Amino acid sequence: MGEFDLSIFNLSPMPMWIQDFSAVKKIFQQWINEGVQDLEQYLLEDPERLQACLLVIKTIQVNQSTLDLYEAADLEEILASFSRMHAEKISLEKVHFFMALWNNAPQYICPSINYTCKGKQIDTQLRASFMPGYEDSWERLLLTTENISDYQNARRFAESLFIHSPTALWVKDYSAIKILFTELQNQGIQDLALYLQQNPSFLSRCFQSIRSIDVNQALLNLFKARDKQNFYQNVTSLFNENNNQYFKDELLYLWQGHQHLERDCEYITLDAHPLHVREQLMIFPNAHQTWDTVQIAYTDFTARKQFENYLKYISHHDELTQLFNRNFFNAEVKRLQNEAVLPISCIYLDINGLKNINDIKGHHYGDLLLKRFAHILRKATANTAYSVSRIGGDEFVILMPHATATLAYQLLEQIQSYIHQENQKPNRTIIQVSAGVGCTDSEPDLENLIRLTDLEMYEQKNQYYQNFHS
């Protein structure tokens, strides 16, 4: 120590230690002599093996900044509380620190939790190097203990906010995408949408380059994952066929230089239920150049979406028969009219004698008959693009886009066949209907076609009642 200028050591504002690690090196060498081939693996298998090394470290001297940091009057007070200062379990970082010493790394850094002599917890970052001339013996190690408590407390607070946030959060690293974008720009690519169209594999390449940093518990709960491992193992199954389009839109948005994106998305939970979320993507301010920290927040509005779908359903469906209602029918007529869908056919149907059934047997029997007829219409139009609407008490219309007259009459024949089969069942009220069929491949006025079809149906209905009363 005579050669070492202690004036700089003592005046340094950085807490500094001079320690003797020679006994540590002897323990390491003893393990090697006993047959330990991989010292690092040996310690990683059981980090607590390092405790024996900590006990043989000798502290030669500390400076005033160290005494101030550890709230001690002198070195003896620090040494007396040394066991408390190293009370935490051996961390992997500490194992790597000692292995760096063993492997002659130029500098050794390790975060650590210590305690002052008065019991106050402090976060420190250890940096160490052997003093000149002691590289082989390890008899003199110069160690600094930087107080990083404020930084670590801020980090823990941020982590706590992330972990316990009621908002589902996913932090990712998009730096590889940033690099890919830079490569394209250097190649003179300006239109990413066109490039993706010509090179669809680039989309998959970008998706696979994303690295997940962390997810919080709220996100695991949202996607019905048991834990992080379960989530990551099944992450690809969470996304439906819309995901490629979502990701493509995301890339185009980032390509345009935006750092924040909000949109509504639909995913699939691990228990196979649809999930509607408001997705908010944000590149952290300190990552605008690298894109290495991107946070995505998910706000669940599945219940609201389901309620909206329910309201939409009941506004477009007849409560009794569950067929489309007049609201839907009117909107569909306008849509087909505006899109000039041709050819187009329609079948206008009316149940004969429904009023008499209601008056004589009661509305319950009339309702049952309507439900039976609705079932027949659904069965006849299954797996087609046709819509069936109940537009009045006993009136139904089938709109048949891109259907010729031949198809319309074939459908009516199928309906009549199903009615005949239904009427053969015992103890059932007979279903009888009047029908009109209309078709055009040139008529621009769909409403007029429906009106003419309605008139044809009423001619049949009048004939039915004339025969009924004769």
Side-chain angles (χ1 to χ4, degrees):
M1 285 242 340
E3 311 143 2
F4 185 68
D5 187 356
L6 290 179
S7 61
I8 297 177
F9 176 82
N10 290 323
L11 295 175
S12 173
M14 175 70 72
M16 302 177 73
W17 307 59
I18 296 176
Q19 295 185 310
D20 180 353
F21 269 53
S22 58
V24 174
K25 186 174 183 180
K26 290 178 181 177
I27 292 176
F28 283 1
Q29 190 60 54
Q30 179 183 345
W31 286 339
I32 296 296
N33 295 338
E34 291 174 353
V36 176
Q37 297 180 353
D38 188 334
L39 197 57
E40 183 171 6
Q41 184 61 33
Y42 179 71
L43 289 174
L44 289 174
E45 288 174 357
D46 183 6
E48 291 304 307
R49 288 168 174 161
L50 203 55
Q51 289 285 6
C53 298
L54 298 179
L55 296 175
V56 298
I57 296 173
K58 295 180 180 178
T59 301
I60 307 300
Q61 189 164 348
V62 297
N63 66 357
Q64 185 59 45
S65 295
T66 300
L67 299 178
D68 295 341
L69 176 62
Y70 287 91
E71 301 180 311
D74 49 36
L75 175 59
E76 286 68 26
E77 187 177 358
I78 290 180
L79 295 178
S81 62
F82 201 75
S83 59
R84 186 174 70 248
M85 289 165 52
H86 295 277
E88 82 276 12
K89 290 185 177 181
I90 302 298
S91 65
L92 294 181
E93 289 83 358
K94 190 162 287 186
V95 171
H96 294 314
F97 175 80
F98 275 82
M99 284 302 94
L101 296 178
W102 179 255
N103 294 322
N104 298 316
Q107 193 177 54
Y108 327 111
I109 302 174
C110 176
S112 181
I113 297 177
N114 285 178
Y115 292 87
T116 70
C117 294
K118 294 182 179 179
K120 177 184 175 182
Q121 178 179 310
I122 52 175
D123 292 281
T124 61
Q125 181 163 271
L126 310 180
R127 294 176 183 268
S129 61
F130 289 112
M131 296 170 64
Y134 297 98
E135 293 86 355
D136 293 332
S137 68
W138 291 20
E139 291 180 354
R140 293 294 182 269
L141 182 80
L142 183 62
L143 182 76
T144 63
T145 51
E146 179 184 0
N147 185 3
I148 58 171
S149 297
D150 290 343
Y151 167 79
Q152 291 290 67
N153 289 335
R155 182 185 61 80
R156 292 189 188 104
F157 179 69
E159 287 181 352
S160 179
L161 289 178
F162 174 80
I163 293 170
H164 301 292
S165 171
T167 301
L169 300 173
W170 192 351
V171 179
K172 303 180 183 182
D173 180 353
Y174 276 43
S175 58
I177 293 180
K178 177 69 170 175
I179 293 172
L180 291 173
F181 277 14
T182 301
E183 291 176 356
L184 292 185
Q185 290 162 353
N186 291 338
Q187 296 170 21
I189 303 299
Q190 296 180 347
D191 189 337
L192 181 62
L194 178 61
Y195 183 82
L196 289 173
Q197 183 179 349
Q198 297 171 342
N199 301 272
S201 62
F202 184 76
L203 190 70
S204 175
R205 186 180 174 190
C206 288
F207 188 80
Q208 293 173 2
S209 72
I210 297 173
R211 185 177 68 86
S212 178
I213 296 176
D214 204 359
V215 296
N216 69 352
Q217 186 60 47
L219 185 126
L220 299 179
N221 295 340
L222 180 64
F223 284 96
K224 309 302 182 186
R226 293 190 305 273
D227 49 37
K228 292 181 181 180
Q229 181 180 4
N230 179 233
F231 176 78
Y232 287 128
Q233 287 175 342
N234 297 277
V235 68
T236 54
S237 68
L238 299 175
F239 305 105
N240 59 20
E241 62 275 9
N242 293 326
N243 187 53
N244 278 346
Q245 186 60 48
Y246 291 153
F247 187 58
K248 181 179 178 180
D249 294 342
E250 184 177 299
L251 290 183
L252 293 174
Y253 206 75
L254 293 172
W255 177 266
Q256 295 166 5
H258 301 289
Q259 280 92 36
H260 188 265
L261 170 64
E262 292 189 27
R263 59 187 178 172
D264 293 340
C265 298
E266 180 182 356
Y267 298 115
I268 301 295
T269 63
L270 287 183
D271 57 359
H273 286 89
L275 178 66
H276 296 272
V277 295
R278 182 67 173 172
E279 187 176 290
Q280 296 174 292
L281 179 148
M282 181 186 70
I283 301 176
F284 275 25
N286 62 346
H288 283 178
Q289 300 302 317
T290 61
W291 296 5
D292 60 358
T293 311
V294 176
Q295 178 178 275
I296 305 176
Y298 300 86
T299 304
D300 183 10
F301 65 91
T302 303
R304 190 190 78 193
K305 186 69 175 180
Q306 290 173 341
F307 184 65
E308 290 174 353
N309 291 340
Y310 170 73
L311 292 179
K312 182 178 179 180
Y313 180 87
I314 64 175
S315 69
H316 284 168
H317 286 78
D318 172 56
E319 182 178 1
L320 178 65
T321 64
Q322 300 303 303
L323 298 176
F324 290 118
N325 60 14
R326 180 173 282 278
N327 287 337
F328 172 86
F329 174 76
N330 291 337
E332 183 69 356
V333 168
K334 289 181 180 179
R335 183 186 72 82
L336 295 171
Q337 181 80 48
N338 292 335
E339 296 179 8
V341 175
L342 292 173
I344 189 165
S345 299
C346 69
I347 303 176
Y348 211 115
L349 303 121
D350 187 293
I351 298 177
N352 295 329
L354 180 63
K355 184 177 184 304
N356 289 336
I357 293 173
N358 287 333
D359 291 344
I360 296 172
K361 290 188 174 183
H363 284 277
H364 172 68
Y365 284 90
D367 289 348
L368 291 177
L369 187 144
L370 286 167
K371 290 181 179 180
R372 288 164 56 210
F373 184 54
H375 175 72
I376 288 171
L377 297 181
R378 276 196 298 271
K379 182 179 177 181
T381 57
N383 302 317
T384 71
Y386 310 152
S387 63
V388 184
S389 302
R390 182 189 180 198
I391 63 171
D394 54 5
E395 296 180 7
F396 301 80
V397 178
I398 304 175
L399 295 176
M400 306 171 63
H402 305 292
T404 62
T406 300
L407 290 174
Y409 281 107
Q410 288 176 349
L411 177 58
L412 179 58
E413 184 179 343
Q414 182 67 69
I415 292 170
Q416 290 170 336
S417 173
Y418 287 152
I419 291 175
H420 177 73
Q421 294 173 21
E422 179 69 19
N423 287 339
Q424 302 307 306
K425 297 177 181 179
N427 303 318
R428 297 290 181 93
T429 303
I430 298 299
I431 299 174
Q432 300 183 71
V433 298
S434 297
V437 177
C439 179
T440 182
D441 56 8
S442 60
E443 173 62 56
D445 190 348
L446 179 56
E447 292 183 355
N448 186 54
L449 176 66
I450 295 170
R451 183 182 64 81
L452 295 175
T453 307
D454 182 22
L455 291 175
E456 180 183 333
M457 180 275 294
Y458 267 104
E459 289 181 7
Q460 276 197 23
K461 194 172 186 69
N462 288 334
Q463 185 64 42
Y464 165 80
Y465 281 111
Q466 288 177 10
N467 296 335
F468 181 80
H469 292 297
S470 61

